[in-house]
Amino acid sequence: MHTSPAAEGGAENLAPIHVYNTLSREIEPLRTQVPGHIGIYVCGMTVYDYCHIGHARAMMAFDVVARHLRHRGYKVRFVRNHTDVDDKIITRARENGESPLDLSARFIQALEEDLSGIGIRAPDFAPKVSDHIGDIVTLIGEIVAKGHGYRADNGDVYFSVLSDPNYGKLSGKKLDDLRAGERVAVDTAKRHPGDFALWKAWGGEDTEPHWPSPWGEGRPGWHIECSAMARHYLGDTFDIHGGGIDLVFPHHENEIAQSECGTGHPYATHWMHNGHLTLDNEKMSKSLGNIKRIRDILREVPGEALRLLYLESHYRSPLPYNSERLGSALVALDRLYCAKEVAFSATGDAEPKAMGEPGLDAADIGRVFEQRFHAAMDNDFNTAEAMGIVFDLVRAVNRLGNDRSTRAKGGKILAPARAAFALMAEVLGIGTMEPQAFFDEVKTKRLLAQGRSVEEIEAKIAARGAARAAKNWAEADRLRVELDADNIVVMDSPAGSTWRMRVGE
Ligand SMILES: [Zn+2]
């Protein structure tokens, strides 16, 4: 029966977490093999090109899952693999005239840079297929020995779907449906069209990676790779398996089938799948120059803007993407940093009442923030709801920030807001920067995207300062209007002028 970690004893203080399970199609209490400990395996990327915003959505979804579970006191063991042995890699490497493992090593490095650029933390283990061939061969051996796999005439080893009475339990597909596709994909080596390769015989070309096995030289099929690596790091049975919704069939269905038939134990308890990212009204194409690679987006906006865009949707929902939405995310993030700046620069110990309605609002919203935030996140990692709670706070703090005396008086009122910023930084990975560093990054990146430079703007601001000093008000005003039209906001103070980039309206 299903029991919560608390009911299993030894982890009484842990928050009950609820997770949607693709296997049961229900939201269930999270249950773990070892109370308080969670093993998570997420299918990583096949590394033959740069990471785009669709890939990053899956990485982001499970980054937040791991962050939140850790925040709630669970000991998380997080594994996300790199598929570095694959047909697409072999083909691309051949085109380039480099070795497949050199090509994948380059893209693994690029992937790590891109993901860290959007605040996605490295997993505890990031195994590569090429380092786990032994585990893969062992598992295939068990599958074959138990009568669930066979070596076909072409030298490939296949999993026999007919040998597994539970086949289809994740996707709901029936073997008869698979047979209906037989006319389309005729593969005479297979006993059933749904059978899939566990081991692919070496074709004899040096450009194709190959390893020895009891079934001859060859390389693993895609599905078996994840089963073997998950088992190596997390055991036969583990707690959460994640990936994009497109992986439910056939990849995850096949992982379950081969693992459970091979080991004789249940595979993953909970199956979590993130929804698709769709390009809304925009086609990704090289000729339009709008391929949405992470590194291109990071040239235009701080990485947290993309994070915020992802977080505003529930991980299971489809996520329509367009550049307007990224722009809105940047505007929202700018407001968040304005609020953070207010919250952390305020001193003094005025009571909420002394600052009127805005003071009462900010104090009240700050006080219940943590509880509301936890409730949203404990319920299937509902970041859409959590972001609503974050922006309730941001609005309240900014409203208080409009009061000129806030910085000198509101320190005590804003103490819960400061705690709230720490919480969202830890769990959601937003608002992690110093506000000034954020504003500076926006300046640099926005200007660069417009083909201008910080130096150019600062020269204009200096010219305006000189005009003011010479009491040439007409010239000073003219420059101010020009700067304003360029979305440059100049703030004058006795200490001199500072400026920031206005984002959106
Ligand atoms: Zn996988």
Side-chain angles (χ1 to χ4, degrees):
M1 282 317 297
H2 302 172
T3 50
S4 68
E8 285 161 8
E12 294 82 2
N13 298 324
L14 288 168
I17 305 280
H18 286 77
V19 185
Y20 180 85
N21 190 349
T22 308
L23 201 53
S24 67
R25 289 159 182 77
E26 277 176 14
I27 291 184
E28 303 171 344
L30 178 67
R31 43 193 203 278
T32 62
Q33 293 296 301
V34 180
H37 291 252
I38 295 185
I40 306 178
Y41 184 90
V42 173
C43 294
M45 273 180 63
T46 300
V47 276
Y48 69 102
D49 209 337
Y50 292 105
C51 181
H52 63 62
I53 50 176
H55 303 128
R57 191 179 188 206
M59 308 298 164
M60 175 68 192
F62 295 101
D63 177 57
V64 172
V65 166
R67 280 169 178 261
H68 184 62
L69 292 173
R70 287 196 169 113
H71 167 68
R72 295 304 253 154
Y74 288 87
K75 298 263 178 294
V76 177
R77 191 173 164 90
F78 184 42
V79 185
R80 189 182 68 223
N81 75 296
H82 296 299
T83 295
D84 65 342
V85 178
D86 180 271
D87 288 346
K88 292 191 216 87
I89 296 171
I90 296 168
T91 307
R92 180 69 58 88
R94 206 173 276 153
E95 287 164 11
N96 289 357
E98 70 182 317
S99 90
L101 291 182
D102 285 350
L103 178 125
S104 55
R106 278 198 296 120
F107 283 110
I108 286 171
Q109 202 194 333
L111 174 74
E112 284 169 355
E113 288 165 14
D114 291 347
L115 294 185
S116 89
I118 51 172
I120 291 176
R121 290 180 178 161
D124 300 302
F125 301 95
K128 291 183 292 185
V129 174
S130 57
D131 290 334
H132 288 277
I133 301 295
D135 294 317
I136 293 168
V137 168
T138 301
L139 182 55
I140 297 173
E142 288 166 76
I143 293 166
V144 172
K146 290 176 180 163
H148 295 288
Y150 59 94
R151 186 172 186 274
D153 293 342
N154 63 2
D156 291 353
V157 179
Y158 292 101
F159 180 85
S160 165
V161 291
L162 285 175
S163 76
D164 176 12
N166 295 318
Y167 190 82
K169 71 177 176 180
L170 182 70
S171 63
K173 294 226 189 269
K174 304 266 181 298
L175 284 182
D176 285 348
D177 300 341
L178 300 179
R179 201 172 270 290
E182 203 164 3
R183 278 158 294 151
V184 189
V186 180
D187 193 337
T188 49
K190 296 181 188 177
R191 291 178 189 165
H192 184 283
D195 290 355
F196 53 90
L198 299 168
W199 190 256
K200 295 180 176 180
W202 182 37
E205 274 197 56
D206 285 338
T207 52
E208 191 185 323
H210 55 95
W211 293 267
S213 85
W215 316 281
E217 287 281 321
R219 62 193 157 88
W222 172 34
H223 314 300
I224 194 74
E225 302 172 345
C226 284
S227 281
M229 288 185 283
R231 183 192 202 185
H232 178 95
Y233 292 95
L234 302 173
D236 288 349
T237 305
F238 59 96
D239 309 306
I240 295 177
H241 193 312
I245 190 79
D246 52 314
L247 296 181
V248 170
F249 187 86
H251 186 52
H252 290 164
E253 192 71 68
N254 292 351
E255 277 191 44
I256 296 178
Q258 68 205 357
S259 285
E260 297 193 346
C261 289
T263 69
H265 296 287
Y267 188 44
T269 309
H270 303 275
W271 285 84
M272 293 180 66
H273 293 100
N274 63 280
H276 276 144
L277 180 140
T278 56
L279 281 186
D280 183 24
N281 301 324
E282 275 181 43
K283 216 178 141 201
M284 269 211 261
S285 89
K286 255 192 183 133
S287 59
L288 290 175
N290 67 342
I291 290 213
K292 298 299 178 195
R293 302 188 310 185
I294 299 303
R295 48 190 52 210
D296 297 334
I297 285 177
L298 285 175
R299 256 178 231 125
E300 290 177 24
V301 297
E304 286 188 12
L306 187 61
R307 274 188 92 85
L308 191 143
L309 186 151
Y310 290 135
L311 292 165
E312 283 180 330
S313 295
H314 190 282
Y315 75 89
R316 280 193 280 127
S317 308
L319 178 78
Y321 175 92
N322 59 35
S323 42
E324 231 165 81
R325 289 193 61 157
L326 183 64
S328 306
L330 180 61
V331 172
L333 188 62
D334 184 69
R335 292 195 182 124
L336 187 145
Y337 274 102
C338 287
K340 183 174 179 182
E341 203 267 328
V342 170
F344 281 85
S345 62
T347 53
D349 58 358
E351 293 298 326
K353 262 191 199 160
M355 300 195 73
E357 204 184 309
L360 291 169
D361 273 2
D364 284 350
I365 291 173
R367 212 170 13 241
V368 294
F369 182 88
E370 185 185 85
Q371 188 200 344
R372 292 178 69 203
F373 184 87
H374 282 166
M377 293 299 291
D378 289 350
N379 180 21
D380 196 27
F381 310 94
N382 193 340
T383 60
E385 198 183 319
M387 289 307 288
I389 296 159
V390 164
F391 278 94
D392 283 350
L393 180 89
V394 164
R395 272 190 298 274
V397 173
N398 280 332
R399 202 152 86 87
L400 189 65
N402 289 336
D403 180 314
R404 282 184 166 272
S405 59
T406 297
R407 282 181 176 73
K409 287 187 187 164
K412 182 176 161 192
I413 296 169
L414 290 169
R418 290 193 289 276
F421 279 105
L423 177 57
M424 70 181 87
E426 180 191 346
V427 175
L428 302 176
I430 53 167
T432 62
M433 300 170 74
E434 290 297 327
Q436 196 52 53
F438 170 80
F439 297 134
D440 288 345
E441 189 181 336
V442 172
K443 267 183 202 172
T444 314
K445 288 185 171 172
R446 299 311 290 162
L447 288 174
L448 205 66
Q450 296 165 8
R452 296 181 306 163
S453 68
V454 169
E455 291 72 24
E456 179 195 325
I457 303 299
E458 289 187 340
K460 205 176 262 188
I461 290 169
R464 177 177 162 271
R468 278 160 61 95
K471 301 199 188 316
N472 183 352
W473 305 117
E475 175 66 359
D477 278 350
R478 191 188 67 78
L479 288 164
R480 175 148 208 150
V481 168
E482 232 180 79
L483 287 159
D484 190 66
D486 286 342
N487 285 321
I488 308 297
V489 186
V490 183
M491 294 151 292
D492 298 314
S493 78
S497 297
T498 55
W499 63 283
R500 44 185 287 246
M501 206 66 198
R502 183 166 52 225
V503 293
E505 263 321 42

